[in-house]
Amino acid sequence: MPSNGTLQRIAAWSIVVAIAIFALKLLAWWFTGSVALFSDAMESVVNVVASTMAWYALRLAHKPADENHPFGHHKAEYFSAVIEGVLIVLAALLILHEAWSAFFVPRVLDEPALGLAINALAAVGNGFWAWLLISTGRRARSPAMVADGRHLWTDVVTSAGVLIGLVLAVSTGWLWLDPAMAVVVALNILWHGWHLVGESVQGLMDVAVDAGDLAEIERIVEENRDGALEFHDLKTREAGRARFIEFHLVVPSEMSVEVAHRICDRIENALEKKLPGAQVTIHVEPAHKAKFA
């Protein structure tokens, strides 16, 4: 799993990359006057803000627990993702407003070949960086980094659509394709923004780990509970990179605290080895509390 320092360095470089991509797209729009390229550039403004927020959220999320935040600051990443989704929606509304005006007053594109070439270069750069963010974010279990990467990948897809649409507009003379592509871009990022906000809100609501991880947790506890009678009431939740696991472990009533503690240590170590960062709480109970199926 990538270290916190590595994540923060990548997040910092994301700001630099986002500014460079925005500059390229703005240049492409300036050369052509295309509404579709303007919409692509506006989405890159969101990228700059979102990358800055993701960098700050990662720094905050990795702060150690303190007196006011005894469970850590892990959920800071979800707030970043929610705000990024809201920014995406605002950018889409701005694009729709610009496209609406262009439908009634079609704009002749100036120097389309140069503008399209510059935008294509920006799309390639975005594609590489999106792949890096998503792959690193998944390995590190970082919602903010994955959200930033997904947003960039959406930007790549919309850039490709814009390029195709503008090539058709230039070759056919159908100038209405320019604002039409802008509308497609806006609707696409609206959907992405809604999806991103929904996922982040689920994280803020203490969503349980996925079914695969839950089955793995149950298997690990079962294989490492030798000496205990059974376990029950397993509960899990995720908060950014952290997983919280809680369950009741039933032991023989005559078992000493020391022996019961060794069993708990064995289970916790096994869970930590398989699920790094897991925070485990085990409630030890006497035999009469068992809930045999």
Side-chain angles (χ1 to χ4, degrees), residues 49 53 60 65 70 79-80 83 99 102 104 116 128 147 149 164 186 188 194 261 264 275 283 291:
V49 177
M53 292 183 58
L60 181 59
F79 285 106
S80 169
I83 295 173
F104 296 100
L116 292 176
F128 169 75
I164 294 171
N188 184 47
W194 177 260
H261 191 269
C264 291
L275 303 170
H283 302 273
K291 296 182 179 180

Coordinates of all heavy atoms in Angstrom, one line a residue, residues 49 53 60 65 70 79-80 83 99 102 104 116 128 147 149 164 186 188 194 261 264 275 283 291:
V49 N -9.6 23.1 -8.8 CA -10.1 23.3 -7.5 C -10.2 21.9 -6.8 O -9.8 21.8 -5.6 CB -11.5 23.9 -7.5 CG1 -12.1 24.0 -6.1 CG2 -11.4 25.3 -8.2
M53 N -8.4 20.6 -3.3 CA -9.2 20.1 -2.2 C -8.8 18.7 -1.8 O -8.7 18.3 -0.6 CB -10.7 20.2 -2.5 CG -11.2 21.6 -2.6 SD -13.0 21.6 -2.9 CE -13.5 20.7 -1.5
L60 N -5.3 16.3 5.8 CA -6.1 16.3 7.0 C -6.5 14.9 7.5 O -6.5 14.5 8.7 CB -7.4 17.1 6.8 CG -8.4 17.3 8.0 CD1 -7.7 17.9 9.1 CD2 -9.6 18.1 7.5
A65 N -5.1 10.6 15.4 CA -6.3 10.9 16.3 C -5.8 11.9 17.4 O -4.6 11.8 17.8 CB -6.8 9.6 16.9
P70 N -11.0 11.4 18.5 CA -10.4 10.1 19.0 C -10.4 9.0 18.0 O -9.6 8.1 18.1 CB -11.2 9.8 20.2 CG -12.5 10.4 20.0 CD -12.2 11.7 19.3
F79 N -15.6 14.4 2.5 CA -16.1 15.8 2.3 C -15.5 16.4 1.0 O -16.2 17.1 0.3 CB -15.7 16.7 3.5 CG -16.5 16.4 4.7 CD1 -16.0 15.7 5.8 CD2 -17.8 16.9 4.8 CE1 -16.8 15.5 6.9 CE2 -18.6 16.7 5.9 CZ -18.1 16.0 7.0
S80 N -14.2 16.1 0.8 CA -13.6 16.6 -0.5 C -14.3 16.1 -1.7 O -14.6 16.8 -2.6 CB -12.1 16.1 -0.5 OG -11.6 16.4 -1.8
I83 N -17.8 17.9 -2.1 CA -17.7 19.2 -2.6 C -17.2 19.2 -4.1 O -17.7 20.0 -4.9 CB -16.7 20.0 -1.8 CG1 -17.2 20.2 -0.4 CG2 -16.4 21.4 -2.4 CD1 -16.2 20.8 0.6
A99 N -23.9 27.0 -24.0 CA -24.4 26.2 -25.2 C -25.7 26.8 -25.7 O -26.0 26.8 -26.9 CB -24.4 24.8 -24.9
A102 N -25.2 29.7 -27.9 CA -24.6 29.4 -29.2 C -25.5 28.7 -30.1 O -25.3 28.8 -31.3 CB -23.4 28.5 -28.9
F104 N -28.5 29.7 -30.8 CA -29.2 30.7 -31.5 C -28.2 31.6 -32.3 O -28.6 32.2 -33.3 CB -29.9 31.6 -30.5 CG -31.0 30.8 -29.8 CD1 -30.8 30.3 -28.5 CD2 -32.2 30.5 -30.5 CE1 -31.8 29.6 -27.9 CE2 -33.2 29.8 -29.8 CZ -33.0 29.3 -28.5
L116 N -7.8 21.8 -32.0 CA -8.1 20.4 -31.8 C -6.8 19.6 -31.4 O -6.8 18.7 -30.5 CB -8.7 19.7 -33.0 CG -10.1 20.2 -33.4 CD1 -10.6 19.6 -34.7 CD2 -11.1 19.9 -32.2
F128 N -3.4 9.8 -18.8 CA -2.3 9.2 -18.0 C -2.4 9.5 -16.5 O -2.3 8.6 -15.7 CB -1.0 9.7 -18.5 CG 0.2 9.3 -17.6 CD1 0.7 8.0 -17.6 CD2 0.8 10.2 -16.8 CE1 1.7 7.6 -16.8 CE2 1.8 9.8 -15.9 CZ 2.3 8.5 -15.9
A147 N -11.7 9.6 -6.4 CA -12.7 10.6 -6.9 C -12.1 11.5 -7.9 O -12.6 11.8 -9.0 CB -13.4 11.3 -5.8
G149 N -9.4 11.0 -9.6 CA -9.0 10.2 -10.8 C -10.2 10.0 -11.7 O -10.1 10.1 -13.0
I164 N -14.3 14.5 -31.5 CA -15.0 13.9 -32.6 C -16.1 14.8 -33.2 O -16.3 14.9 -34.4 CB -15.6 12.5 -32.1 CG1 -14.5 11.5 -31.8 CG2 -16.6 12.0 -33.2 CD1 -15.0 10.3 -31.1
A186 N -21.9 18.6 -20.8 CA -22.6 19.0 -19.6 C -23.4 17.9 -18.9 O -23.4 17.7 -17.7 CB -23.5 20.3 -19.9
N188 N -23.1 14.7 -19.3 CA -22.2 13.7 -18.9 C -21.6 14.0 -17.5 O -21.6 13.1 -16.6 CB -21.1 13.4 -19.9 CG -20.2 12.3 -19.5 OD1 -20.7 11.2 -19.2 ND2 -18.9 12.5 -19.6
W194 N -23.4 13.7 -9.8 CA -24.4 13.1 -9.0 C -23.9 11.7 -8.4 O -24.1 11.4 -7.3 CB -25.7 12.9 -9.9 CG -26.8 12.2 -9.1 CD1 -27.1 10.9 -9.2 CD2 -27.7 12.8 -8.2 NE1 -28.2 10.6 -8.4 CE2 -28.6 11.7 -7.7 CE3 -27.8 14.0 -7.7 CZ2 -29.5 12.0 -6.8 CZ3 -28.8 14.3 -6.7 CH2 -29.7 13.2 -6.3
H261 N -7.4 -12.7 26.4 CA -6.7 -11.6 25.7 C -5.8 -12.1 24.6 O -5.6 -11.5 23.6 CB -5.9 -10.8 26.8 CG -5.4 -9.5 26.3 ND1 -4.2 -9.4 25.7 CD2 -6.0 -8.3 26.2 CE1 -4.0 -8.1 25.3 NE2 -5.1 -7.5 25.7
C264 N -7.8 -12.8 21.6 CA -8.2 -11.5 20.9 C -7.0 -11.0 20.1 O -7.1 -10.5 19.0 CB -8.6 -10.5 21.9 SG -10.2 -10.9 22.7
L275 N -6.0 -7.1 6.4 CA -6.6 -5.8 6.1 C -5.9 -4.7 6.8 O -6.3 -4.2 7.9 CB -8.1 -5.9 6.6 CG -9.0 -7.0 6.0 CD1 -10.3 -7.1 6.7 CD2 -9.2 -6.8 4.5
H283 N -15.6 -7.6 22.0 CA -16.3 -7.7 23.3 C -16.2 -9.1 23.7 O -16.9 -10.0 23.1 CB -17.7 -7.2 23.1 CG -17.8 -5.8 22.6 ND1 -17.8 -4.7 23.4 CD2 -18.0 -5.3 21.4 CE1 -17.9 -3.6 22.7 NE2 -18.0 -3.9 21.5
K291 N -24.7 -17.4 21.2 CA -25.9 -17.4 20.3 C -25.7 -18.4 19.2 O -25.5 -18.1 18.1 CB -26.1 -16.0 19.6 CG -26.4 -14.9 20.6 CD -26.6 -13.6 19.9 CE -26.9 -12.4 20.8 NZ -27.2 -11.1 20.1

